[in-house]
């Protein structure tokens, strides 16, 4: 589980070679797209949460700040989901000027409910 709320944390994640290269590229792209107001702390505009295989519902909810994996979750709650193949990206608009991007690993050991939600709204062709 990663919760990235400032430029230093994002830079550390992007340069961490132990993280999936696709994830690092997605994080880098989104920061480049969203971090347009350099005079303002990144954490005042956006939070990045990375849900990895094995993360518990409790850890996910704590990082996100609200339930997203259980039946009582406010679903869909997100603005959109994008399927990047090995990662799903969920966008939450929390206030007029603050949002959250949640990256969910498409892996059998990822929280089943959250992965099911992502697969259910993705545009993947049936196999």
């Amino acid at each position: 589980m990663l919760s990235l709320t400032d430029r230093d944390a994002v830079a550390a994640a992007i340069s961490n070679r132990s993280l999936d290269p696709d994830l690092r590229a997605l994080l880098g792209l989104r920061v480049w797209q969203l971090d347009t107001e350099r005079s303002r702390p990144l954490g005042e505009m956006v939070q990045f949460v990375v849900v990895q295989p094995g993360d518990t519902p409790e850890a996910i909810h704590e990082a996100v700040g609200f339930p997203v994996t259980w039946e009582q979750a406010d679903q869909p709650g997100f603005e959109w989901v994008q399927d990047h193949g090995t990662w799903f990206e969920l966008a939450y608009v929390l206030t007029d000027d603050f949002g959250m991007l949640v990256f969910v690993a498409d892996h059998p050991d990822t929280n089943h409910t959250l992965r099911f939600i992502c697969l259910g709204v993705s545009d993947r062709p049936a196999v």
Side-chain angles (χ1 to χ4, degrees), residues 23-90:
L23 172 64
R24 292 172 34 218
L26 284 169
L27 288 169
L29 175 65
R30 291 300 180 243
V31 168
W32 178 76
Q33 291 171 327
L34 296 171
D35 193 14
T36 58
E37 298 180 45
R38 296 291 299 169
S39 62
R40 191 171 164 206
L42 184 65
E44 289 182 5
M45 296 177 281
V46 66
Q47 176 182 358
F48 300 98
V49 174
V50 178
V51 177
Q52 298 169 312
D55 288 341
T56 65
E58 295 82 8
I60 296 167
H61 297 164
E62 184 177 330
V64 173
F66 50 90
V68 294
T69 65
W70 294 327
E71 290 180 9
Q72 68 268 31
D74 297 325
Q75 294 297 342
F78 46 81
E79 293 293 318
W80 49 263
V81 174
Q82 190 165 359
D83 182 353
H84 297 284
T86 57
W87 291 90
F88 295 101
E89 178 181 10
L90 290 80

Side-chain angles (χ1 to χ4, degrees), residues 20 23 49-55 85-90 102-112 114-116 118-119 124:
D20 178 77
L23 172 64
V49 174
V50 178
V51 177
Q52 298 169 312
D55 288 341
T86 57
W87 291 90
F88 295 101
E89 178 181 10
L90 290 80
V102 178
F103 296 93
V104 179
D106 183 14
H107 187 278
D109 293 333
T110 298
N111 176 273
H112 298 294
L114 189 54
R115 184 170 176 248
F116 177 78
C118 293
L119 287 167
R124 289 187 182 179

